[in-house]
Amino acid sequence: MNNKCMKYEGLFIFSDDETLKKHLAECEECRAEQETMDKVSSLISEVRFHYYRKRKIMPKLRAVCAAALLLFSTLTLGIAVNDEDLMDTLRYGETLSAEELGFPVDSYGLLMVDE
């Protein structure tokens, strides 16, 4: 039969530190479990700085990108709406002909090609 101590988890979660320390002084298996938990805790504390640093940079980067996109779109739309020359030449549904674009055309309105 296996007479392994199963009290560590319950004492770790539900009891105070003094009760846990008293049990660890008596039980070898629970002491080994505590050492394992301490090793894991030390590894986590080593990596914590790098993990939190990456988590803090990404939201700032997203906010800067969103602000830049908002600024760019505001300036672009502001120029397009306020530019009267652009508004006069391009209307919805109108197309520019080759002659209006400045290409040489023949009497039929087709592009002129030199031979």
Side-chain angles (χ1 to χ4, degrees):
M1 293 222 152
N2 193 359
N3 292 332
K4 192 172 183 181
C5 181
M6 304 298 278
K7 293 181 182 180
Y8 179 76
E9 184 177 349
L11 290 172
F12 183 78
I13 295 173
F14 298 113
S15 71
D16 58 348
D17 288 337
E18 291 183 23
T19 310
L20 180 63
K21 287 179 184 178
K22 204 180 291 183
H23 180 73
L24 290 175
E26 298 170 359
C27 181
E28 183 66 33
E29 293 173 359
C30 292
R31 201 172 317 127
E33 185 77 23
Q34 179 66 31
E35 289 174 7
T36 304
M37 293 295 278
D38 289 340
K39 288 178 185 176
V40 170
S41 179
S42 68
L43 287 174
I44 290 173
S45 65
E46 274 184 46
V47 178
R48 180 178 16 185
F49 173 73
H50 301 291
Y51 177 72
Y52 284 128
R53 187 179 67 185
K54 287 180 184 177
R55 288 186 73 204
K56 288 181 181 180
I57 290 174
M58 290 305 291
K60 290 178 185 176
L61 184 62
R62 287 182 187 141
V64 168
C65 288
L69 180 65
L70 182 67
L71 180 68
F72 176 75
S73 62
T74 303
L75 291 175
T76 304
L77 288 174
I79 291 170
V81 168
N82 293 331
D83 191 7
E84 293 180 10
D85 293 335
L86 183 65
M87 296 299 287
D88 288 339
T89 56
L90 297 176
R91 299 272 182 212
Y92 180 74
E94 288 185 8
T95 58
L96 297 176
S97 65
E99 188 176 10
E100 290 172 347
L101 291 172
F103 293 112
V105 293
D106 59 4
S107 60
Y108 297 107
L110 300 174
L111 287 175
M112 193 178 331
V113 179
D114 293 331
E115 290 185 45

